[in-house]
């Protein structure tokens, strides 16, 4: 409550739902909120925290993929690829999802 705009806290909470509580639906909602908070607080900074951005978008992509929402997963992976330290690996995941869709 003291930090309502903290995407960092939301990332931690999302990880708890995902990993400890095994609640991917709730984790997805929390990570989506973390993404919105990141956009509000970081997107216009001179040096935004792209490590957190990549973590959030890759996690959302994985959650969507695991839920069978491949089109949405591809969208998130595309966002992640833009700032990933390993864009080739992200592209490989995109290619695999597109191949499944055929």
């Amino acid at each position: 409550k003291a930090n309502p705009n903290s995407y960092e806290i939301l990332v931690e909470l999302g990880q708890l739902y995902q990993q400890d509580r095994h609640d991917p639906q709730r984790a997805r909602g929390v990570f989506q909120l973390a993404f919105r908070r990141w956009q509000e607080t970081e997107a216009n900074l001179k040096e935004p925290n792209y490590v957190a951005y990549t973590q959030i978008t890759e996690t959302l992509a994985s959650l969507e993929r695991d839920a069978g929402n491949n089109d949405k997963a591809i969208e998130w992976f595309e966002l992640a690829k833009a700032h990933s330290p390993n864009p080739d690996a992200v592209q490989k995941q995109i290619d695999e999802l597109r191949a499944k869709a055929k």
Side-chain angles (χ1 to χ4, degrees):
K1 290 182 180 182
N3 297 297
N5 294 322
S6 174
Y7 65 86
E8 297 101 331
I9 292 173
L10 292 167
V11 167
E12 294 296 324
L13 181 61
Q15 288 175 340
L16 286 172
Y17 283 122
Q18 181 185 18
Q19 297 168 2
D20 294 344
R21 301 253 174 120
H22 306 288
D23 189 345
Q25 187 172 350
R26 183 164 281 166
R28 186 171 41 246
V30 173
F31 273 101
Q32 288 171 344
L33 181 57
F35 181 74
R36 288 192 301 273
R37 293 295 184 259
W38 185 94
Q39 288 178 308
E40 292 167 1
T41 59
E42 294 282 324
N44 294 322
L45 296 179
K46 187 175 181 177
E47 294 184 29
N49 183 350
Y50 284 123
V51 172
Y53 176 90
T54 302
Q55 179 185 14
I56 293 166
T57 53
E58 284 185 351
T59 301
L60 281 164
S62 297
L63 287 164
E64 294 293 355
R65 179 195 59 216
D66 295 347
N69 303 324
N70 291 345
D71 290 339
K72 192 67 178 164
I74 289 170
E75 290 177 28
W76 286 114
F77 276 129
E78 289 286 357
L79 291 173
K81 184 175 83 168
H83 300 289
S84 173
N86 193 353
D88 293 337
V90 178
Q91 183 61 51
K92 182 179 177 185
Q93 293 183 65
I94 292 168
D95 294 342
E96 288 172 1
L97 288 170
R98 286 188 176 142
K100 286 182 183 179
K102 291 182 180 180

